């Protein structure tokens, strides 16, 4: 596990400018060298990049705007999110998934929002992939746009990183493929009409053309598992949250760019 942590620490300084460099040689541990790490933005067409960059045209901002309204909403018995977070949410999303100091559990941003609802607002948790949870998650994440991902890499997150890395590298499904084979070993190559990205998570929740909607990172992970004809895990599954932590650590230093637009 110390090897995993040491390797991920190398990923803090990152170059994320678009480019068409050839696939580099892998480091001995199978992690891309920091200078070669690129956001999924680098693999988009210029037209899609422009769509993401335009706050008036990017459809994901419909969810961000709704999230802003939910963040300020209150009623007679329920305080608004903003009443506790009056100093804003800048930089918060860049640190998630994170260990919850009270429970010791690993929470992603969706889990932290729902924890606030159930504990501090005395409300039911939002259902995963509901418009409300997507909107609030997108709003909180967008407040960190431009901040570098900086999830915790330490002894206490090491077991989760190991679980996430194991899932990332394990072949599965009828196609017997792993995340590693596509997003570390063959990134930059063509899969039909698409260019294979490095599989980073810094743009989620994201608007995907194939969904014609916003979706969480877990929706994308489930799509990937289904794509290799493996049984996807449930939304919010602990293994997916561990994988989410590993993906964020693998891309530590990449700037948050929510809501991203993807194919």
């Amino acid at each position: 596990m110390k090897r995993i942590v040491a390797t991920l620490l190398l990923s803090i300084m990152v170059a994320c400018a678009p480019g068409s460099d050839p696939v580099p040689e892998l480091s001995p541990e199978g992690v891309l060298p920091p200078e070669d790490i690129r956001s999924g933005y680098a693999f988009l067409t210029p037209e899609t990049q422009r769509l993401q960059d335009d706050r008036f045209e990017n459809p994901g901002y419909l969810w961000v705007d709704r999230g802003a309204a939910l963040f300020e909403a209150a009623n007679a018995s329920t305080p608004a999110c903003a009443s506790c977070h009056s100093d804003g949410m800048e930089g918060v999303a860049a640190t998630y998934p994170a260990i919850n100091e009270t429970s010791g559990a690993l929470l992603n941003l969706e889990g932290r929002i729902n924890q606030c609802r159930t504990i501090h607002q005395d409300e039911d948790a939002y259902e995963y992939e509901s418009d409300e949870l997507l909107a609030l998650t997108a709003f909180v994440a967008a407040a960190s746009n431009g901040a570098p991902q900086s999830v915790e890499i330490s002894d206490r997150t090491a077991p989760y990183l190991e679980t996430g890395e194991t899932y990332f590298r394990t072949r599965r499904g009828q196609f017997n493929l792993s995340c590693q084979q596509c997003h570390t070993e063959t990134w930059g190559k063509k899969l039909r009409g698409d260019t294979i990205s490095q599989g980073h998570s810094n743009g989620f929740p994201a608007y995907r053309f194939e969904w014609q909607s916003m979706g969480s990172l877990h929706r994308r992970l489930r799509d990937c598992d289904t794509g290799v004809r493996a049984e996807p895990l449930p939304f919010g599954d602990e293994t997916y949250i561990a994988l989410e932590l590993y993906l964020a650590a693998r891309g530590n230093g990449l700037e948050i760019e929510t809501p991203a637009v993807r194919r």
Side-chain angles (χ1 to χ4, degrees), residues 60-71:
Y61 276 98
L62 295 172
W63 280 263
V64 174
D65 290 346
R66 184 177 185 191
L70 290 171
F71 193 79

Side-chain angles (χ1 to χ4, degrees), residues 17-256:
S20 56
D21 297 339
V23 178
E25 291 185 4
L26 299 177
S27 66
E29 294 81 5
V31 176
L32 291 169
E35 66 272 14
D36 291 311
I37 297 177
R38 287 162 173 71
S39 168
Y41 180 92
F43 303 95
L44 302 175
T45 64
E47 293 78 13
T48 305
Q49 288 178 343
R50 284 194 292 271
L51 180 63
Q52 177 174 314
D53 294 340
D54 191 329
R55 289 191 57 157
F56 293 99
E57 295 293 334
N58 182 337
Y61 276 98
L62 295 172
W63 280 263
V64 174
D65 290 346
R66 184 177 185 191
L70 290 171
F71 193 79
E72 297 287 342
N75 57 45
S77 60
T78 302
C81 305
S83 65
C84 288
H85 303 287
S86 57
D87 55 347
M89 303 298 291
E90 184 177 352
V92 171
T95 65
Y96 274 80
I99 300 289
N100 180 258
E101 300 299 337
T102 302
S103 67
L106 182 71
L107 296 180
N108 61 3
L109 203 53
E110 290 89 343
R112 186 67 180 92
I113 289 169
N114 271 334
Q115 185 185 69
C116 282
R117 282 185 59 77
T118 57
I119 294 177
H120 301 299
Q121 296 178 307
D122 197 26
E123 294 280 3
D124 293 334
Y126 285 129
E127 185 177 350
Y128 226 101
E129 224 57 27
S130 65
D131 273 348
E132 292 84 358
L133 187 55
L134 284 170
L136 266 174
T137 306
F139 169 75
V140 173
S144 295
N145 274 344
Q149 281 187 325
S150 54
V151 295
E152 180 182 340
I153 299 171
S154 67
D155 288 342
R156 67 176 188 166
T157 60
Y160 299 106
L161 289 167
E162 186 168 21
T163 297
E165 182 186 34
T166 297
Y167 200 86
F168 188 82
R169 296 191 181 194
T170 299
R171 291 172 180 258
R172 63 180 53 83
Q174 292 179 328
F175 289 166
N176 194 34
L177 292 172
S178 69
C179 315
Q180 169 88 4
Q181 287 174 280
C182 285
H183 297 299
T184 302
E185 297 175 10
T186 56
W187 70 267
K189 295 184 178 180
K190 291 290 186 181
L191 179 64
R192 297 188 295 274
D194 288 340
T195 303
I196 300 173
S197 76
Q198 295 176 349
H200 295 299
S201 58
N202 57 309
F204 283 85
Y207 185 94
R208 289 185 62 86
F209 292 141
E210 66 174 307
W211 300 335
Q212 290 293 291
S213 179
M214 283 284 278
S216 68
L217 178 61
H218 286 205
R219 182 176 180 182
R220 184 69 187 111
L221 297 177
R222 285 171 55 87
D223 278 1
C224 284
D225 278 342
T226 301
V228 298
R229 297 185 181 176
E231 186 69 28
L233 300 177
F235 286 111
D237 188 89
E238 291 181 0
T239 298
Y240 271 169
I241 296 175
L243 175 58
E244 191 174 345
L245 177 67
Y246 175 72
L247 292 175
R250 180 174 171 267
N252 256 355
L254 283 175
E255 293 183 357
I256 300 296

